[in-house]
Amino acid sequence: MKLLYSIGWNLSRALFRFYFGWRVQGAENVPLTGPLILASNHASFLDPPLVGSALPREINYMARDTLFRFPVIGWILREVNAVPVDREGGGAAGLKTILDRLLKGNGIILFPEGTRSRDGELQKARSGVGLTVIKSDAPVVPVRVFGTFEAFSRHHKIPRPGKRVAVKFGRPIDFTVLRAEAKSCSKPRLKEIYQEVADQVMANIARLEIS
């Protein structure tokens, strides 16, 4: 790991262990090398570091492109593998950067819902994650975080101690058939495939439970 990433990784693990009493399950389902898409539900700003610090490999994250305009913040974001994307989390430039990083064998975390949940419940997946999955050959691992909404939702100004959090990694989802169909299907069908993939990802996330 790069130095700054390693520092953040270790600090995050300490925070989640001692401040939130975290639990991690299913990490053995995640490939330790090669391209990887982690598809997680999203309820809190805690979600990216929670998912990333649970794994012994570097992960790439998405961050609003406007943040990179500030020299110091921009440098820090690049050092922790942040990918600049527009406010809606899409755009051709952001997609190209994500695909480039996957082609280089990196792992990246995506949030199919597109934004943080307002009530802690799972939301409908947007088709953007389906486009990314179809355009790549990377394994797709569903991830579900628990307790982060209660610990630090959009309604809280600071994290709340004593609220336990957890993260569970599922088994990789097989999209071989849909990826093959997408190579030669019509444009209307291709759009359907993007949403179908997104819905399958979200369904797999919903099935994950902490045991």
Side-chain angles (χ1 to χ4, degrees):
M1 293 182 181
K2 291 183 293 187
L3 178 60
L4 192 58
Y5 188 101
S6 179
I7 292 172
W9 186 82
N10 281 288
L11 287 176
S12 294
R13 289 177 67 86
L15 171 71
F16 290 120
R17 180 181 179 184
F18 297 109
Y19 199 78
F20 296 111
W22 76 336
R23 296 174 64 191
V24 178
Q25 292 184 357
E28 68 276 5
N29 292 322
V30 182
L32 296 182
T33 59
L36 169 68
I37 294 174
L38 296 168
S40 174
N41 63 309
H42 197 14
S44 168
F45 283 135
L46 296 175
D47 300 335
L50 173 61
V51 174
S53 62
L55 300 172
R57 63 172 290 180
E58 288 193 21
I59 298 297
N60 288 248
Y61 305 88
M62 292 188 292
R64 189 175 300 175
D65 54 2
T66 54
L67 295 175
F68 289 79
R69 298 174 185 172
F70 304 96
V72 175
I73 296 176
W75 175 78
I76 293 173
L77 289 172
R78 292 183 180 90
E79 286 298 301
V80 297
N81 304 328
V83 178
V85 294
D86 64 29
R87 186 179 180 85
E88 296 301 318
L95 176 61
K96 183 180 184 303
T97 302
I98 290 171
L99 294 175
D100 285 346
R101 297 199 182 189
L102 290 172
L103 284 172
K104 293 177 181 177
N106 296 310
I108 191 162
I109 181 171
L110 302 178
F111 297 108
E113 297 158 297
T115 188
R116 288 172 294 156
S117 172
R118 292 186 176 276
D119 58 6
E121 299 297 321
L122 299 180
Q123 310 298 308
K124 181 177 175 59
R126 299 183 181 182
S127 61
V129 68
L131 186 154
T132 305
V133 169
I134 291 299
K135 294 289 185 181
S136 75
D137 294 319
V140 182
V141 174
V143 185
R144 187 168 180 179
V145 295
F146 300 86
T148 57
F149 181 81
E150 291 76 16
F152 190 35
S153 74
R154 62 171 67 229
H155 309 298
H156 300 121
K157 294 183 178 180
I158 59 173
R160 304 169 69 194
K163 299 294 182 180
R164 297 179 67 86
V165 300
V167 56
K168 183 163 186 175
F169 300 89
R171 295 180 179 177
I173 310 169
D174 185 3
F175 287 113
T176 303
V177 174
L178 288 175
R179 279 170 167 161
E181 182 184 354
K183 292 179 180 179
S184 58
C185 69
S186 65
K187 288 186 178 180
R189 173 56 184 153
L190 187 58
K191 290 183 178 180
E192 292 177 354
I193 288 175
Y194 293 157
Q195 189 61 56
E196 188 175 336
V197 168
D199 291 341
Q200 285 190 33
V201 167
M202 207 66 214
N204 276 267
I205 292 172
R207 283 194 288 268
L208 294 175
E209 296 290 346
I210 289 291
S211 57

